[in-house]
Amino acid sequence: MGINIYKEKPVSGIKGKDLLGLSELSKDEILDILALTESVKKRGTDLNYQPLKGKTLGMIFEKNSTRTRVSFEVAIWQLGGYGLFLNKNDLQLGRGETIEDTARVLSRYVDGIVIRAYFHEDVKKLAEYADVPVINGLTDFEHPCQALADLFTIYEKKKRLNGLKLAFIGDGNNNMATSLIFGCAKVGMDITVASPKGYQPKKEIVNIALRDSILNNSKIIVTEDVKEAAEDADVIYTDVWTSMGQESEAEERKKAFYGYQVNEKLLKMAKKDVIVMHCLPAHRGEEITDEVIDGPYSVVFDQAENRLHVQKAILISIMGD
Ligand code: CP
Ligand code: NVA
């Protein structure tokens, strides 16, 4: 593929820093992570390449995870380090020890922390009190590592990012929509979010991203109309209607999102070479049909694989010497 437009070097700008959200990364930092991802992916599993030899990564999970947990654990191990999976309920954190004390203590043992938590504010607090970098492995607000893998996947498939149109169909107010709005604006991609009323991106989020989109000559459009989003889209992206933590709203959401399914009819409105993305896990038959997720336009499993390569680039950039 050759992301030769990007600089082939580790991302020096984020060494030792937290990665809490895509809004906090600069355009160059994002492009540099994608470039490094390309080189680590090309290298494959090379146990002679151990830039994180002797480093430990604490991985706190308050919610379920397949991709984030496994890709971080495999990534740190393949890079020469060690990852400790820490279920929140097994930690004293699950019995009421404070986030502040947990942060202080873990900082004495590990070189970095990945955390998946219900509340973004908790992750911010952990980062504030930890002396080691904290990486957001998903909160109610953002899922930055997933969005970086998504941008990398789009680049791999389309050979460019700038000027493409991504249509996000579904819950415009969830963590994926927010991270993609920030990410697309940073790299100059147009994003149109189609969501029912009450589930559209908050104005504050769009306003944060607007500055970047203006600088990068791209558009952010919010609509109720799936056709407006899908028309001429290079990428159609969807995610579950009910995110983790919102289970009590599932029935109400199923009704609200009726008509927001990514199916073959919707694909016909997009460009002929459209790709379909989903961060997974999918609720097949709700936000996406079997025919589409298993069909020729779907790149969802390449997208899932790329989580591993992107995690490596993130870990090397933040925790490498
Ligand atoms: N996409 C994603 O983050 O998947 P998991 O919930 O399995 O980690
Ligand atoms: N929006 C989904 C993403 C899962 C990876 C959730 O938060 O459950």
Side-chain angles (χ1 to χ4, degrees):
M1 171 176 63
I3 305 184
N4 291 329
I5 55 161
Y6 301 136
K7 292 160 261 168
E8 277 280 328
K9 65 175 177 59
V11 189
S12 53
I14 65 169
K15 184 173 159 47
K17 288 198 185 156
D18 303 318
L19 174 44
L20 303 189
L22 274 202
S23 62
E24 295 171 14
L25 291 178
S26 71
K27 176 179 183 174
D28 276 351
E29 285 165 352
I30 292 177
L31 296 182
D32 283 350
I33 290 171
L34 304 190
L36 186 57
T37 302
E38 187 192 32
S39 56
V40 295
K41 183 168 182 177
K42 255 190 216 143
R43 196 184 269 276
T45 309
D46 174 2
L47 298 181
N48 292 317
Y49 174 63
Q50 303 220 311
L52 298 183
K53 191 161 187 211
K55 303 273 182 177
T56 46
L57 179 69
M59 308 192 311
I60 305 174
F61 281 78
E62 224 179 65
K63 300 179 180 179
N64 297 63
S65 173
T66 297
R67 282 142 288 268
T68 307
R69 173 189 173 173
V70 177
S71 58
F72 266 116
E73 198 165 326
V74 171
I76 182 90
W77 185 81
Q78 290 187 352
L79 296 172
Y82 182 70
L84 298 92
F85 174 70
L86 305 167
N87 184 320
K88 186 196 168 188
N89 292 330
D90 297 338
L91 296 173
Q92 295 290 8
L93 188 60
R95 290 183 55 246
E97 186 169 14
T98 65
I99 292 173
E100 293 88 326
D101 288 352
T102 304
R104 292 177 179 116
V105 172
L106 288 182
S107 299
R108 305 283 178 115
Y109 302 138
V110 300
D111 301 290
I113 301 171
V114 171
I115 177 165
R116 168 167 289 196
Y118 283 98
F119 303 112
H120 195 73
E121 288 307 310
D122 288 347
V123 173
K124 277 168 65 180
K125 195 185 279 178
L126 187 86
E128 187 186 339
Y129 286 89
D131 296 325
V132 295
V134 171
I135 299 168
N136 174 1
L138 181 146
T139 63
D140 55 342
F141 183 55
E142 272 222 53
H143 196 3
C145 301
Q146 176 70 53
L148 287 168
D150 299 340
L151 293 177
F152 180 75
T153 306
I154 295 167
Y155 190 86
E156 243 183 352
K157 303 292 175 191
K158 298 286 178 191
K159 316 287 183 241
R160 71 188 171 110
L161 293 172
N162 198 18
L164 296 176
K165 174 182 174 183
L166 184 145
F168 184 94
I169 314 287
D171 184 0
N173 200 18
N174 79 6
N175 41 20
M176 273 325 311
T178 300
S179 288
L180 287 168
I181 290 170
F182 291 148
C184 287
K186 297 261 181 194
V187 301
M189 280 175 63
D190 293 342
I191 179 165
T192 300
V193 180
S195 319
K197 277 229 164 64
Y199 298 95
Q200 295 188 334
K202 292 206 172 72
K203 284 216 172 65
E204 306 93 87
I205 303 298
V206 175
N207 285 343
I208 294 170
L210 264 182
R211 195 181 149 269
D212 284 315
S213 75
I214 291 164
L215 277 175
N216 295 309
N217 206 20
S218 65
K219 291 195 281 279
I220 306 171
I221 294 170
V222 175
T223 176
E224 281 180 73
D225 182 0
V226 288
K227 188 163 175 270
E228 184 184 353
E231 251 168 19
D232 291 328
D234 299 283
V235 180
I236 291 185
Y237 198 113
T238 190
D239 183 12
V240 290
W241 294 336
T242 301
S243 287
M244 290 180 277
Q246 299 171 333
E247 288 77 6
S248 64
E249 300 170 22
E251 283 313 306
E252 186 188 326
R253 283 170 171 268
K254 251 188 220 168
K255 286 186 202 129
F257 286 101
Y258 181 80
Y260 288 82
Q261 184 185 63
V262 174
N263 52 31
E264 283 178 326
K265 190 172 153 220
L266 187 84
L267 286 204
K268 291 207 174 80
M269 301 173 195
K271 283 204 178 135
K272 283 206 168 63
D273 61 348
V274 67
I275 57 172
V276 175
M277 303 182 76
H278 191 309
C279 57
L280 301 178
H283 287 176
R284 288 165 174 257
E286 289 187 20
E287 75 275 2
I288 193 163
T289 60
D290 284 332
E291 291 74 27
V292 170
I293 199 168
D294 297 326
Y297 300 101
S298 167
V299 299
V300 299
F301 298 107
D302 293 333
Q303 188 186 350
E305 177 192 326
N306 284 334
R307 295 295 305 276
L308 172 64
H309 309 301
V310 167
Q311 314 302 32
K312 286 185 180 173
I314 292 170
L315 292 173
I316 295 168
S317 301
I318 292 179
M319 288 166 60
D321 290 324

